Amino acid sequence: MSTSFGLRLFERALVYVGTDFLSSPLWDKYIEYECMQQDWSRVAMIYSKILENPIQNLDRYFANFKELAVTRPLSELRSAEESTAVAAASDASKAAPSESDGKADEGKSQADVSSEQSPKLEAAGSTDPEELKKYIGVREAMYIKAKEFEAKIIGFEMAIRRPYFHVRPLNATELENWHNYLDFIEKDGDFNKVVKLYERCLVACANYPEYWIRYVLSMETSGSMDLADNALARATQVFVKRQPEIHLFAARLKEQNGDIAGARAAFQLVHSEISPGLVEAVIKHANMEQRQGKPEDAFALYEQVIALEMGKENSTVLPLLYAQYSRFSYLVSGDAEKARKILVEALDHVQPSKPLLETLLHFESSLPAPRQIDYLAPFVEKVINPNSDTQNIASSTEREELSLIYIEFLGLFGDVKSIKKAEDQHAKLFRRSTSELRKRSADDFLSSDRTKMAKIYNGTTPAQPVSAQAQWSGGYAAQPQTWPQAQAAPAQPQQWNPTYGQQQAAYGAYGGYPAGYTAPQAQAPVPQAAAYGAYPAPAYPPQSYAPPAAPVAAPVQQPAAAPQAYYNTYY
């Protein structure tokens, strides 16, 4: 290939990866090419560029540069600009005559210009030890500065075991290392380094939406909207286009930028193609329509998705959709009768279960007096005392806990007869008095407090036992059923919840999405027959979708997290 083409090719490659820690093979080829051309000034220029960057084998490059400097004359190593600068410096040092004989020597100086030019050029190309020391010293200062920065990043670089792309998932340690490395570079404040590191990261982590989301947010924060839009387009159209969280993020970003039509299109893509029936997408979409002043469109969305799920056999998300629709309707319109009707309708279309009935109990407890509680008894009895013809998916533990919760509810809002009936039925079915269960609940409560204190002072999270409730298909048992007061208004979602497929990574919050994009495994709720008023709100369970085909890695064990309120994520 021609010399000019070879130079352009190398320079183009170095623009993209020349500052990468592992770029030494490219630099070696460039040096080899220029040595074949015997263009020693360009070889010296290449070494100067290398020594500015904290890359691998920096000591070897500095040693080779010093060897080159002592074996070739400086006239061959200096560029044209450097030679001109040295000649100008020599002129400035010699052309400083005293004021007294300036006039006398003026004619002589002008006459000798041509005769003095040749010695100056010779001096510029000489191998004078002082000049050589100065020439090497400039590069040595660059080398020292690069080595200092290398010492700060070497730990991150050594932890990168797979800098290339592969369909197999990365382990949690390496994913965490990328987050920590990006944190460090962003704090350093060099925008070019930030962009280059994100591009390096997205080679190895191309299948992880959290890194694309972080890249977009970082570029948006720095004001580089072109780079942010480019990264978002690459993520949604190429690399993670089949993963719903990137489209939900895109919808939020487009709404924030005033592109409501684009946000609706992103939601519709999730509903129709990416992950139909995804509860998180339905909730976020309905909330957006409410923010746009179109609550009727939000209601229509819930009804449409519920109708689609009713057409499926044994839908696992239908109970949750009903619960969310009822709660959304109550918060937006304040119509308690409509919200109650939605929940009662749910009990007609889905198998009654402990979580769904808890939703109903919490809803009634949130309303002002007088409350309608008489209609609850048949539904509760159908779960805790099923007959032989009724399919019951609740375990004996769940049935016992629901019975106790119902007794506590009646203790607050019922009458003496209804309380007696419920307690008698409980004693008959479970061969245990409610006082014994209350004692057990108190012991569990105290044990839970001791566990919390240990967590606070020891900084560790104890492992949680697996509840029988977690065995219920579809994971609906992990849904909380907290009904806030009617005066509460829906709040803007403030945290991203990446819980899909292979994205089990850790990262902190990013403004509207996590400063870290940590995706802990869903933990089962703690089984305990707590008092009704203190019933815990378990964590929201992930819904499955079809991720890109890849071998499944063994899950990384995470400490059990304290239960978090599900609704706070979306309202």
Coordinates of all heavy atoms in Angstrom, one line a residue, residues 206-247:
A206 N -22.4 -5.3 25.5 CA -23.4 -4.9 24.5 C -24.7 -5.4 24.8 O -25.7 -4.8 24.4 CB -22.9 -5.3 23.1
N207 N -24.9 -6.5 25.5 CA -26.2 -7.2 25.7 C -26.8 -6.7 27.0 O -27.8 -7.3 27.4 CB -26.0 -8.7 25.7 CG -26.0 -9.3 24.4 OD1 -26.3 -8.6 23.4 ND2 -25.5 -10.5 24.3
Y208 N -26.2 -5.7 27.7 CA -26.7 -5.3 29.0 C -27.3 -3.9 28.8 O -26.6 -2.9 28.7 CB -25.6 -5.3 30.0 CG -25.1 -6.6 30.3 CD1 -24.2 -7.3 29.5 CD2 -25.6 -7.3 31.4 CE1 -23.7 -8.6 29.8 CE2 -25.2 -8.6 31.7 CZ -24.2 -9.2 30.9 OH -23.8 -10.5 31.2
P209 N -28.7 -3.7 28.9 CA -29.3 -2.4 28.8 C -28.8 -1.4 29.8 O -28.8 -0.2 29.5 CB -30.8 -2.7 29.0 CG -30.9 -4.2 28.6 CD -29.7 -4.8 29.1
E210 N -28.4 -1.8 31.0 CA -28.1 -0.9 32.0 C -26.9 0.0 31.6 O -26.8 1.2 32.0 CB -27.8 -1.6 33.3 CG -26.6 -2.5 33.2 CD -26.5 -3.4 34.4 OE1 -25.8 -3.0 35.4 OE2 -27.0 -4.6 34.3
Y211 N -25.9 -0.5 30.8 CA -24.8 0.2 30.4 C -25.1 1.2 29.3 O -24.6 2.3 29.2 CB -23.6 -0.7 30.0 CG -23.1 -1.5 31.1 CD1 -23.6 -2.8 31.4 CD2 -22.2 -1.0 32.0 CE1 -23.1 -3.5 32.4 CE2 -21.7 -1.7 33.1 CZ -22.2 -3.0 33.3 OH -21.8 -3.7 34.3
W212 N -26.0 0.8 28.4 CA -26.5 1.7 27.4 C -27.3 2.9 28.0 O -27.1 4.0 27.6 CB -27.4 1.0 26.4 CG -26.7 0.0 25.5 CD1 -26.6 -1.3 25.7 CD2 -25.9 0.3 24.3 NE1 -25.9 -1.9 24.6 CE2 -25.4 -0.9 23.8 CE3 -25.6 1.5 23.7 CZ2 -24.6 -0.9 22.7 CZ3 -24.9 1.5 22.6 CH2 -24.4 0.3 22.1
I213 N -28.1 2.5 29.0 CA -28.9 3.6 29.7 C -27.9 4.5 30.4 O -28.1 5.8 30.4 CB -29.8 2.9 30.7 CG1 -31.0 2.2 30.0 CG2 -30.4 4.0 31.7 CD1 -31.8 1.3 30.9
R214 N -26.9 4.0 31.0 CA -26.0 4.9 31.7 C -25.2 5.7 30.8 O -25.0 6.9 31.0 CB -25.0 4.0 32.5 CG -23.9 4.8 33.2 CD -23.1 4.0 34.2 NE -22.1 4.8 34.8 CZ -21.4 4.5 35.9 NH1 -21.6 3.4 36.4 NH2 -20.5 5.3 36.4
Y215 N -24.8 5.2 29.6 CA -24.1 6.0 28.6 C -25.0 7.2 28.1 O -24.5 8.3 28.0 CB -23.8 5.1 27.4 CG -22.9 5.7 26.4 CD1 -22.1 6.8 26.6 CD2 -22.8 5.1 25.1 CE1 -21.3 7.3 25.6 CE2 -21.9 5.6 24.1 CZ -21.2 6.7 24.4 OH -20.4 7.2 23.5
V216 N -26.3 6.9 27.8 CA -27.2 7.9 27.4 C -27.3 9.0 28.4 O -27.3 10.2 28.1 CB -28.5 7.3 27.0 CG1 -29.6 8.4 26.7 CG2 -28.4 6.4 25.8
L217 N -27.5 8.6 29.7 CA -27.7 9.6 30.7 C -26.4 10.4 30.9 O -26.5 11.6 31.2 CB -28.1 8.9 32.0 CG -29.5 8.2 32.1 CD1 -29.7 7.4 33.3 CD2 -30.6 9.3 31.9
S218 N -25.3 9.8 30.8 CA -24.0 10.5 31.0 C -23.8 11.6 29.9 O -23.4 12.7 30.2 CB -22.8 9.5 31.0 OG -21.6 10.2 31.1
M219 N -24.1 11.2 28.7 CA -24.0 12.1 27.6 C -25.0 13.2 27.7 O -24.7 14.4 27.4 CB -24.1 11.4 26.2 CG -23.0 10.4 25.9 SD -21.4 11.1 25.9 CE -20.7 10.7 27.5
E220 N -26.2 12.9 28.1 CA -27.2 13.9 28.3 C -26.8 14.9 29.4 O -27.0 16.1 29.2 CB -28.6 13.2 28.7 CG -29.7 14.2 28.8 CD -31.0 13.5 29.3 OE1 -30.9 12.5 30.1 OE2 -32.1 13.9 28.9
T221 N -26.3 14.4 30.5 CA -25.8 15.3 31.5 C -24.7 16.2 31.1 O -24.7 17.4 31.5 CB -25.3 14.5 32.7 OG1 -26.4 13.6 33.2 CG2 -24.9 15.3 33.9
S222 N -23.8 15.7 30.2 CA -22.7 16.6 29.7 C -23.1 17.5 28.6 O -22.3 18.2 28.1 CB -21.5 15.7 29.3 OG -21.9 14.8 28.3
G223 N -24.4 17.4 28.2 CA -24.8 18.3 27.1 C -24.6 17.8 25.7 O -24.8 18.5 24.7
S224 N -24.1 16.5 25.5 CA -23.8 16.0 24.2 C -25.0 15.2 23.7 O -25.0 13.9 23.7 CB -22.5 15.1 24.3 OG -21.4 15.8 24.7
M225 N -26.0 15.9 23.3 CA -27.3 15.2 22.9 C -27.1 14.4 21.7 O -27.8 13.3 21.5 CB -28.4 16.2 22.7 CG -28.8 16.9 24.0 SD -29.3 15.7 25.3 CE -30.6 14.8 24.5
D226 N -26.2 14.7 20.8 CA -26.0 13.9 19.6 C -25.4 12.6 19.9 O -25.9 11.5 19.4 CB -25.0 14.6 18.6 CG -25.5 15.9 18.0 OD1 -26.8 16.0 18.0 OD2 -24.8 16.7 17.5
L227 N -24.5 12.5 20.9 CA -24.0 11.2 21.3 C -25.0 10.4 22.1 O -25.1 9.2 22.0 CB -22.7 11.4 22.2 CG -21.5 11.9 21.5 CD1 -20.3 12.2 22.5 CD2 -21.0 10.9 20.5
A228 N -25.8 11.1 22.9 CA -26.9 10.4 23.6 C -27.9 9.8 22.7 O -28.3 8.7 22.8 CB -27.6 11.4 24.6
D229 N -28.3 10.6 21.6 CA -29.3 10.0 20.7 C -28.7 8.9 19.9 O -29.4 7.9 19.6 CB -29.7 11.2 19.7 CG -30.6 12.2 20.4 OD1 -31.1 11.9 21.5 OD2 -30.7 13.4 19.9
N230 N -27.4 9.0 19.5 CA -26.8 7.9 18.8 C -26.7 6.7 19.6 O -27.0 5.6 19.1 CB -25.4 8.4 18.4 CG -24.6 7.3 17.7 OD1 -23.9 6.5 18.3 ND2 -24.7 7.2 16.4
A231 N -26.3 6.8 20.9 CA -26.3 5.6 21.7 C -27.6 5.0 21.9 O -27.8 3.7 21.9 CB -25.7 6.0 23.1
L232 N -28.7 5.8 22.1 CA -30.0 5.3 22.3 C -30.5 4.5 21.1 O -31.2 3.5 21.1 CB -31.0 6.4 22.7 CG -32.4 6.0 23.1 CD1 -32.4 5.1 24.3 CD2 -33.3 7.2 23.4
A233 N -30.2 5.1 19.9 CA -30.6 4.5 18.7 C -29.9 3.1 18.5 O -30.6 2.1 18.1 CB -30.3 5.4 17.5
R234 N -28.6 3.1 18.8 CA -27.9 1.8 18.6 C -28.5 0.7 19.6 O -28.6 -0.4 19.3 CB -26.4 2.0 18.9 CG -25.7 2.8 17.8 CD -24.5 3.5 18.4 NE -23.5 2.6 19.0 CZ -22.5 3.0 19.8 NH1 -22.4 4.3 20.0 NH2 -21.7 2.2 20.3
A235 N -28.9 1.2 20.8 CA -29.4 0.2 21.8 C -30.8 -0.3 21.4 O -31.0 -1.5 21.4 CB -29.4 0.9 23.2
T236 N -31.7 0.6 21.0 CA -33.1 0.2 20.8 C -33.3 -0.4 19.4 O -34.2 -1.2 19.2 CB -34.0 1.4 20.9 OG1 -33.5 2.5 19.9 CG2 -34.0 2.0 22.3
Q237 N -32.3 -0.2 18.5 CA -32.5 -0.7 17.1 C -31.6 -1.9 16.8 O -31.9 -2.6 15.8 CB -32.3 0.4 16.1 CG -33.3 1.6 16.2 CD -32.9 2.7 15.3 OE1 -32.2 2.6 14.3 NE2 -33.4 3.9 15.6
V238 N -30.5 -2.1 17.6 CA -29.6 -3.1 17.2 C -29.3 -4.1 18.4 O -29.6 -5.2 18.4 CB -28.3 -2.5 16.7 CG1 -27.3 -3.6 16.3 CG2 -28.5 -1.6 15.5
F239 N -28.6 -3.5 19.4 CA -28.0 -4.4 20.4 C -28.9 -5.0 21.4 O -28.8 -6.2 21.7 CB -26.8 -3.6 21.1 CG -25.7 -3.3 20.2 CD1 -25.6 -2.0 19.6 CD2 -24.8 -4.2 19.8 CE1 -24.6 -1.7 18.7 CE2 -23.7 -3.9 19.0 CZ -23.6 -2.7 18.4
V240 N -29.8 -4.2 22.0 CA -30.7 -4.8 23.0 C -32.2 -4.5 22.6 O -33.0 -4.2 23.5 CB -30.4 -4.2 24.4 CG1 -29.1 -4.8 25.0 CG2 -30.2 -2.7 24.4
K241 N -32.5 -4.6 21.4 CA -33.8 -4.2 20.9 C -34.9 -5.1 21.3 O -36.1 -4.8 21.3 CB -33.8 -4.1 19.3 CG -33.5 -5.4 18.7 CD -33.4 -5.3 17.2 CE -33.2 -6.6 16.4 NZ -33.1 -6.4 15.0
R242 N -34.6 -6.3 21.8 CA -35.6 -7.3 22.3 C -35.8 -7.3 23.8 O -36.5 -8.1 24.3 CB -35.2 -8.7 21.8 CG -35.1 -8.9 20.3 CD -36.3 -8.5 19.6 NE -37.5 -9.3 20.0 CZ -38.7 -9.1 19.6 NH1 -39.0 -8.1 18.7 NH2 -39.7 -9.8 20.0
Q243 N -35.2 -6.3 24.4 CA -35.3 -6.3 25.9 C -36.1 -5.0 26.3 O -35.8 -3.9 25.9 CB -33.9 -6.2 26.5 CG -33.0 -7.4 26.1 CD -31.8 -7.5 27.0 OE1 -31.8 -7.3 28.2 NE2 -30.7 -7.9 26.4
P244 N -37.2 -5.3 27.1 CA -38.2 -4.2 27.3 C -37.7 -3.0 28.1 O -38.1 -1.9 27.8 CB -39.3 -4.9 28.1 CG -38.6 -6.1 28.7 CD -37.5 -6.5 27.7
E245 N -36.7 -3.2 29.0 CA -36.3 -2.0 29.8 C -35.7 -0.9 29.0 O -35.8 0.3 29.4 CB -35.4 -2.5 30.9 CG -34.1 -3.2 30.5 CD -34.3 -4.7 30.6 OE1 -35.3 -5.2 30.1 OE2 -33.4 -5.3 31.2
I246 N -35.0 -1.2 27.9 CA -34.4 -0.1 27.1 C -35.5 0.7 26.4 O -35.4 1.9 26.3 CB -33.4 -0.7 26.1 CG1 -32.6 0.4 25.5 CG2 -34.1 -1.5 25.0 CD1 -31.7 1.1 26.5
H247 N -36.6 0.0 26.0 CA -37.7 0.8 25.4 C -38.5 1.6 26.4 O -39.0 2.7 26.1 CB -38.6 -0.2 24.7 CG -37.9 -0.9 23.5 ND1 -37.7 -0.3 22.3 CD2 -37.4 -2.2 23.4 CE1 -37.1 -1.2 21.5 NE2 -36.9 -2.3 22.2

